[in-house]
Amino acid sequence: MKDERRVIIRNEQLKKIRNNLREIIIRAVYDEINILSTFSSLYGAILDLTPEERKEVFYLEGTKHSLRSALSKSICVCPLCTHSDRDMVYIPLHETWYCIECQEKDLIWYPSHGSEEDRRQHDYINWYYEQKEKFTKRFSNKERSNSNE
């Protein structure tokens, strides 16, 4: 897909079917991850293993990582808010599905926003000034009322 695609379902019965199918897929993925974790835990400490056993453990860990990655990029779960019961939008830049609420709140990073680290720093600075302003408004009124008494 070259552009953003939205999947919006308005019918309540279809939403229920969609949510149940997503839940089945999510549970199946986590069950498989649990099985792989159980197998890899049977090997013991990684330093005590033979090269063949290490290879098997690394394969199991890689498979678990692939499953988690596929689930986070799928239409089943939003990777930002982890909700699975919302309408989704596909962002081709990330090759990932996000919920529409996260897109509307502008939580998805785009290259035009600058580096992700700069964006977080900018968001933190703005948040800090907002909190400072709220704090001074709240407590400066109390100081004025105390000084008038």
Side-chain angles (χ1 to χ4, degrees), residues 1 12-13 25 36 42 71 83 98 108 110 116 127:
M1 286 186 237
E12 290 301 320
Q13 291 175 333
I25 292 170
L36 293 172
L42 294 174
L71 184 63
H83 281 95
Y98 295 94
I108 303 169
Y110 293 97
E116 194 167 358
W127 175 82

Side-chain angles (χ1 to χ4, degrees), residues 132-145:
K132 184 178 178 183
E133 186 176 313
K134 288 178 186 177
F135 183 81
T136 55
K137 284 181 182 178
R138 184 182 310 155
F139 290 105
S140 65
N141 292 337
K142 288 183 180 180
E143 289 177 13
R144 287 182 198 153
S145 64

Side-chain angles (χ1 to χ4, degrees), residues 36-61:
L36 293 172
S37 295
T38 303
F39 282 147
S40 66
S41 68
L42 294 174
Y43 283 98
I46 193 77
L47 296 176
D48 298 334
L49 302 177
T50 65
E52 293 82 23
E53 290 174 333
R54 284 184 189 173
K55 193 173 183 181
E56 291 174 14
V57 169
F58 292 146
Y59 175 77
L60 293 172
E61 294 299 322

Side-chain angles (χ1 to χ4, degrees), residues 72-75 77-79 89-98:
S72 71
K73 288 187 171 200
S74 74
I75 197 169
V77 178
C78 176
V89 60
Y90 180 76
I91 308 295
L93 177 67
H94 301 282
E95 297 178 347
T96 305
W97 290 88
Y98 295 94

Side-chain angles (χ1 to χ4, degrees), residues 63-76:
T63 306
K64 287 188 331 189
H65 177 72
S66 298
L67 285 170
R68 284 190 194 104
S69 176
L71 184 63
S72 71
K73 288 187 171 200
S74 74
I75 197 169
C76 295

Side-chain angles (χ1 to χ4, degrees), residues 26-41:
I26 293 167
R27 286 184 184 191
V29 168
Y30 282 118
D31 285 346
E32 187 67 23
I33 289 171
N34 191 20
I35 291 168
L36 293 172
S37 295
T38 303
F39 282 147
S40 66
S41 68

